[in-house]
Amino acid sequence: MSKPGSRKRLLAVSSSGGHWQQLLLLGEAFADFDVVYASTVAEGRLANGGTSLRLREVNRTQPWLALPALWEALLLVRGLRPAVIVSTGAGPGLLVLLAGRLLGVPTVWVDSVANAERLSMSGWLARRFVQLHCSQWEHLADGGRTKFLGRML
């Protein structure tokens, strides 16, 4: 077992609610990383041993919050220097992934299992700039940008 700090850092990002629950379900996939979680959920230590940082809530009903949230995302990514960023959505995750992309960090989007008919709005936007874009529904994979790698539930 490697000592803390000797493994690469992964930044796992989401909004609250179902996005947060799905992000936590990915925890096993992060076993080889030192994980820092960032969410609109409260800060602190998590039951899985990870750390959670607080993000500003951003959504399409308050677009004026996007610019300050993007600035905060850039500062977060620059400060943490993660090896990769993974998000299950929505708005805050999208902005942190954009910040990561601007700073040269590999990015992964996992669209919500709740979006069975089409990609979420944030997922549709993320598809244009993330390195790996995943849907949890096989019929939404397009053989190109959007991949199906299985479901979390």
Side-chain angles (χ1 to χ4, degrees):
M1 187 173 194
S2 59
K3 50 186 184 163
S6 66
R7 300 185 305 168
K8 291 184 179 182
R9 181 173 290 142
L10 182 143
L11 177 56
V13 187
S14 80
S15 297
S16 61
H19 296 287
W20 178 245
Q21 294 304 316
Q22 288 183 54
L23 186 67
L24 294 176
L25 288 173
L26 286 172
E28 278 185 35
F30 305 154
D32 293 336
F33 293 89
D34 285 330
V35 182
V36 174
Y37 291 87
S39 177
T40 56
V41 179
E43 290 186 63
R45 298 295 292 169
L46 301 173
N48 66 8
T51 302
S52 177
L53 303 173
R54 182 82 183 235
L55 292 174
R56 178 189 301 253
E57 180 60 63
V58 179
N59 58 56
R60 63 181 154 202
T61 65
Q62 298 173 313
W64 59 88
L65 296 176
L67 195 56
L70 179 58
W71 178 251
E72 291 171 3
L74 285 162
L75 294 175
L76 175 69
V77 173
R78 187 170 166 236
L80 287 176
R81 299 182 184 271
V84 65
I85 302 170
V86 177
S87 180
T88 53
L94 180 69
L95 293 176
V96 173
L97 289 174
L98 179 57
R101 181 63 185 217
L102 292 171
L103 295 172
V105 178
T107 52
V108 179
W109 177 273
V110 180
D111 211 41
S112 173
V113 73
N115 297 304
E117 298 302 317
R118 64 179 186 267
L119 296 174
S120 65
M121 185 172 96
S122 294
W124 182 80
L125 291 168
R127 184 174 184 264
R128 287 150 173 37
F129 64 85
V130 297
Q131 278 85 5
L132 178 59
H133 188 268
C134 303
S135 171
Q136 295 183 64
W137 297 98
E138 193 167 7
H139 66 277
L140 293 180
D142 61 11
R145 300 278 305 152
T146 303
K147 312 282 186 225
F148 172 75
L149 302 177
R151 290 191 194 118
M152 287 187 266
L153 303 175

